[in-house]
Amino acid sequence: QAAAVHALAAPYASYPDGAWITLSLDPNASFVFWLKSCAYAIAFFLTLALAHTRGRARLIALALVLSGLAQAVYGGLMHLSGSNLEIFGMTIPHASQASGGFVNRNHLAGFPEITLAMGIGLMVGSLRETGRRNWHQFWRDMAELLISWKASLRLSLVIIVVALVMTRSRMGNTAFFSSLLIAGGVALALSRHATRSTVILIASLIAIDILVIGSWFGVEKTMQRIEQTTVGDVELREDPSVYALEMARDYPLFGAGPGAFYTAFTRYRGPDIRAFFDHAHNDYTQFLVETGALGAALAGGLALMALVLAVLALSRRRDPLARGFAFAVLMGVSSIAIHSTVDFNLQIPANALAFMVLLAYGWI
C-alpha cells in the first residue's frame, strides 16, 4: 500500500536506480515523531538514573506536581477573568472553560490527571499510622500537619482539581474520578499493610474534591455536559476512529507511518466527515494505524508493564513511599487509559513527556 501511494505521487521511473522509498507516507512527520520519541525515551531513562534515592525521587515527583499547579493557576485565573486569548490568529477559549497553556481543554484535563496522580501518591507515601490518640495529641498532630509540606501539597492538589473541573472536560473528569476509585479499591484490596490513614485519605479526596470543591467551582456544569451528551456527540468522536481502522488492514505491521495520520486519513474518511482531522481522537487507534501492530505493542507493552509492577508493589512492598509511587502509577495510567478512548493526550508532547516520567516510577 505504501508503494502504491508513493507511485501516485511520483512514478517509479522518476526514481534513480537504487533509491529508497519509505514505508511511511509522510517521511518528514515520521522523522519529527522519531525525535519526540527519543526525547520521551531520554526522559524515561533519566528519571530512572536520577531518582535513585528517596529524596531525589520525591523531588522529581514534586516538580511534576508543581508543573501541574502552574497550569492550574494560569488556566483557572484566565477562566475566572473571562478572557479569550488569540495566538497566531487562533483563539484560545478561556471564558467558557479553562484551557491553560493548551489549545484544547481536554489536553489541559489530561495533564492534571497525571500530576494529581503523582501528588496523591506522595500524600499516600507520607501517611503514618498514629494509633489511638487523646485530644491533646490530636490537636498537636493537626498543628504539625498545618505547618508541614503536606499541607502545601494538599492545597496544591485542591487547586489542580479546581482547574480540572473548570475544563468542563467530560471524559477528563470522568477518567480522573474513576481512576481514583479504581486505584483506591485495588490498593485497599491488595494491601496487607493498609493503614487507617490511607482509608481516610482516599475517602476525604473523594468527598472533599467532588462534593465540596466541585460544587463551588461548577462541577454541575460538567455533569450537565455529560447528561446532555447526544448520540451525535459520541459519533463525532467515534467516526474518525472507525474509518481509521480500515487503514490498519492496509498497513498491519508497520502502519502508515508515525505522525502520518492526517495525511493518510484523507483517503479513508467517509462522506459524512467533512471536517479535517489531524488526529484520530483515540490514542489506541492512532498508534495502531500509524505505527502498526509492532509499534502499538511496544507502546502498550511499556504502559502495561508499569501497571503490573505498580500492582505488585502495592501487594508486596512495606515502604510507604514505594507504595505511594505505586498508587500514583496505577491511578495515572488508569486515568490516561480511560481518557485515551476518546482523546489524544499521548499525541501532545507535554502530556506524553509527563506520562513517561510517571511510567518510570513503576520501575522505581
Side-chain angles (χ1 to χ4, degrees), residues 58-350:
R58 187 181 285 110
L59 280 176
I60 294 172
L62 283 172
L64 190 59
V65 176
L66 287 175
S67 65
L69 177 63
Q71 283 288 343
V73 170
Y74 171 68
L77 290 178
M78 289 295 289
H79 174 60
L80 292 174
S81 68
S83 303
N84 290 325
L85 189 65
E86 186 172 306
I87 301 178
F88 299 118
M90 174 179 287
T91 300
I92 310 298
H94 293 287
S96 57
Q97 74 269 332
S99 298
F102 296 84
V103 175
N104 191 318
R105 61 178 165 196
N106 295 303
H107 301 146
L108 174 61
F111 195 69
E113 289 171 43
I114 299 170
T115 57
L116 279 169
M118 186 63 83
I120 294 172
L122 283 170
M123 291 290 294
V124 171
S126 67
L127 296 177
R128 57 187 176 90
E129 188 58 59
T130 56
R132 297 182 64 86
R133 297 175 294 176
N134 56 37
W135 282 107
H136 174 73
Q137 293 170 326
F138 173 79
W139 290 114
R140 182 193 63 190
D141 291 343
M142 287 296 297
E144 290 179 355
L145 175 64
L146 291 175
I147 62 176
S148 69
W149 64 272
K150 288 187 285 187
S152 300
L153 176 61
R154 184 67 184 102
L155 180 59
S156 299
L157 296 181
V158 168
I159 296 172
I160 298 174
V161 169
V162 168
L164 176 60
V165 172
M166 285 182 174
T167 63
R168 314 288 183 241
S169 172
R170 292 167 291 194
M171 187 55 82
N173 283 273
T174 300
F176 166 68
F177 291 116
S178 298
S179 65
L180 179 57
L181 292 173
I182 292 171
V186 172
L188 295 178
L190 293 180
S191 175
R192 294 168 293 176
H193 321 289
T195 63
R196 183 179 60 179
S197 301
T198 304
V199 179
I200 294 174
L201 173 64
I202 295 173
S204 69
L205 286 169
I206 297 171
I208 295 176
D209 291 353
I210 296 179
L211 301 179
V212 180
I213 300 171
S215 63
W216 287 351
F217 290 94
V219 73
E220 72 280 354
K221 295 181 180 179
T222 304
M223 294 301 297
Q224 188 177 16
R225 284 199 73 218
I226 295 175
E227 292 172 357
Q228 294 176 349
T229 301
T230 64
V231 175
D233 294 330
V234 177
E235 290 178 346
L236 184 62
R237 298 288 183 92
E238 284 185 344
D239 283 349
S241 181
V242 172
Y243 284 121
L245 286 176
E246 297 180 13
M247 294 167 58
R249 290 194 288 268
D250 289 341
Y251 307 90
L253 186 59
F254 298 107
F261 177 84
Y262 71 96
T263 302
F265 182 63
T266 55
R267 184 181 169 198
Y268 294 88
R269 66 180 183 181
D272 54 323
I273 296 184
R274 299 183 179 276
F276 174 77
F277 283 89
D278 52 356
H279 295 286
H281 286 269
N282 184 312
D283 275 321
Y284 301 101
T285 299
Q286 184 150 351
F287 275 114
L288 179 62
V289 301
E290 283 191 346
T291 64
L294 182 63
L298 289 172
L302 182 65
L304 185 60
M305 287 176 66
L307 200 61
V308 171
L309 290 171
V311 172
L312 289 176
L314 284 171
S315 177
R316 299 174 180 177
R317 296 297 299 272
R318 292 179 177 269
D319 182 6
L321 186 61
R323 294 177 54 77
F325 287 147
F327 186 96
V329 174
L330 176 58
M331 180 179 170
V333 173
S334 300
S335 185
I336 293 298
I338 295 171
H339 199 172
S340 290
T341 57
V342 294
D343 273 310
F344 48 99
N345 276 290
L346 296 182
Q347 311 301 323
I348 307 303

Side-chain angles (χ1 to χ4, degrees), residues 42-60:
I42 290 170
F44 179 84
F45 287 111
L46 279 177
T47 305
L48 292 179
L50 297 176
H52 56 79
T53 65
R54 298 171 63 86
R56 284 191 171 191
R58 187 181 285 110
L59 280 176
I60 294 172

